[in-house]
Amino acid sequence: MNMKTKAILLHSLKYGDHQLVSDFFTEEQGRQSYISRLSKSGRGQIKKPFFQPLTLLDLEYDYRPNSRLQHIRNIRMSRPYTSIPFDPDKLSLALFISDFLYYAIRNEQRNVALFDFIEKSMEWLDDKPDSFANFHLVFMLHLTRFIGFYPNIESQVDHSFFDLREGQFVTFPPLYPDYLRPQEAQVLSRILQTDYSSMGNLTFSHDERNQATEMILHYYRLHVPDFPELKSFEILKQLYS
């Protein structure tokens, strides 16, 4: 069956001399894996630049319900980036986010709201000329709204702790170690109350930003099965030092 969908590239792996196995999050069918043969000439339609992290694409493919890998027939960029591939800081953020999403939405089925959130977020980053250092913090926390464990902010009071297992603010620390102290919980609360348009109000030092990233990744490791330590975080730590 011939199908078309918008898609966001998460990860690609070379297979043989001229093929790629790629993981996408698609608008129509959620998480899907595809195999494609790269064009040997400049005139071919399937080219390596299409397979950069978080590229926004339109796919046409042969859908086979019982196949683990779908076969791409045609591909084109739906919205070419104008700054992400050429700005070292934005590119580092994109590499981190693609690594993060590869695990965070590994089992997601069709979820148009989630797809729209990721697509619009990447378009925002591409268009933003500056003041995007905290983009990944806002992105990761707000993503939880679409995948089922958005923190409960209704329970917050002054000097609250944050229970990472239950995803809520509490008056007293739980009996297990997976919680944030009031000062850390306040940082989480500030990020939750921030969107991209107000992100400039977040003022974090280099170390504070990295600590906030680690807190959020810890939260994901508690709620997403087999969510690993991300090697790309080590690269991200070096930004804005």
Side-chain angles (χ1 to χ4, degrees):
M1 180 190 305
N2 189 51
M3 294 193 68
K4 296 180 180 180
T5 187
K6 295 171 70 176
I8 300 168
L9 180 75
L10 302 178
H11 180 265
S12 283
L13 182 67
K14 190 174 181 182
Y15 181 72
D17 292 333
H18 301 289
Q19 294 188 98
L20 288 175
V21 173
S22 306
D23 286 284
F24 291 88
F25 188 61
T26 72
E27 184 178 42
E28 295 300 322
Q29 292 187 298
R31 187 67 174 263
Q32 289 279 307
S33 297
Y34 297 82
I35 190 167
S36 53
R37 179 174 291 277
L38 292 174
S39 303
K40 297 180 182 179
S41 69
R43 292 175 295 179
Q45 291 190 346
I46 301 179
K47 304 173 184 178
K48 194 171 182 179
F50 293 153
F51 295 88
Q52 302 305 308
L54 299 178
T55 303
L56 306 176
L57 299 161
D58 292 320
L59 301 182
E60 182 179 352
Y61 61 100
D62 292 318
Y63 178 60
R64 301 175 184 178
N66 297 321
S67 177
R68 188 176 67 87
L69 293 174
Q70 308 300 327
H71 288 258
I72 295 176
R73 298 184 62 185
N74 291 302
I75 185 172
R76 70 178 184 87
M77 290 188 184
S78 62
R79 202 274 201 184
Y81 292 134
T82 59
S83 69
I84 290 175
F86 313 108
D87 183 312
D89 291 343
K90 287 186 178 182
L91 183 58
S92 295
L93 281 171
L95 290 171
F96 170 77
I97 291 169
S98 66
D99 189 24
F100 161 79
L101 285 174
Y102 179 78
Y103 297 102
I105 59 172
R106 183 162 37 193
N107 298 312
E108 285 295 314
Q109 303 300 311
R110 187 176 188 268
N111 186 334
V112 175
L114 172 58
F115 183 91
D116 288 345
F117 171 74
I118 299 172
E119 180 184 43
K120 295 297 187 296
S121 295
M122 296 313 301
E123 290 175 348
W124 183 92
L125 178 62
D126 192 53
D127 290 337
K128 185 69 172 172
D130 50 32
S131 302
F132 52 80
N134 298 312
F135 170 79
H136 61 296
L137 302 178
V138 177
F139 178 86
M140 289 192 294
L141 270 186
H142 285 273
L143 185 83
T144 61
R145 186 185 297 276
F146 302 95
I147 58 179
F149 50 96
Y150 187 73
N152 177 8
I153 60 176
E154 300 298 326
S155 58
Q156 185 182 10
V157 296
D158 290 343
H159 309 296
S160 294
F161 296 81
F162 183 76
D163 186 329
L164 289 162
R165 293 190 188 181
E166 297 298 325
Q168 62 183 358
F169 293 90
V170 293
T171 305
F172 300 100
L175 298 177
Y176 40 77
D178 299 316
Y179 68 89
L180 302 179
R181 293 167 294 182
Q183 186 174 357
E184 298 168 324
Q186 182 61 32
V187 170
L188 192 78
S189 176
R190 286 177 61 198
I191 300 170
L192 285 169
Q193 296 176 54
T194 301
D195 58 21
Y196 296 139
S197 64
S198 61
M199 202 170 62
N201 296 327
L202 290 177
T203 54
F204 295 134
S205 69
H206 174 257
D207 289 340
E208 288 171 337
R209 185 176 298 109
N210 287 335
Q211 289 166 5
T213 305
E214 182 54 57
M215 288 190 303
I216 297 170
L217 290 175
H218 185 186
Y219 188 50
Y220 270 84
R221 284 193 290 271
L222 290 170
H223 292 272
V224 177
D226 302 318
F227 193 93
E229 301 281 346
L230 299 181
K231 294 180 180 179
S232 57
F233 182 36
E234 296 303 314
I235 299 172
L236 192 70
K237 284 180 181 179
Q238 307 308 314
L239 287 184
Y240 317 113
S241 57

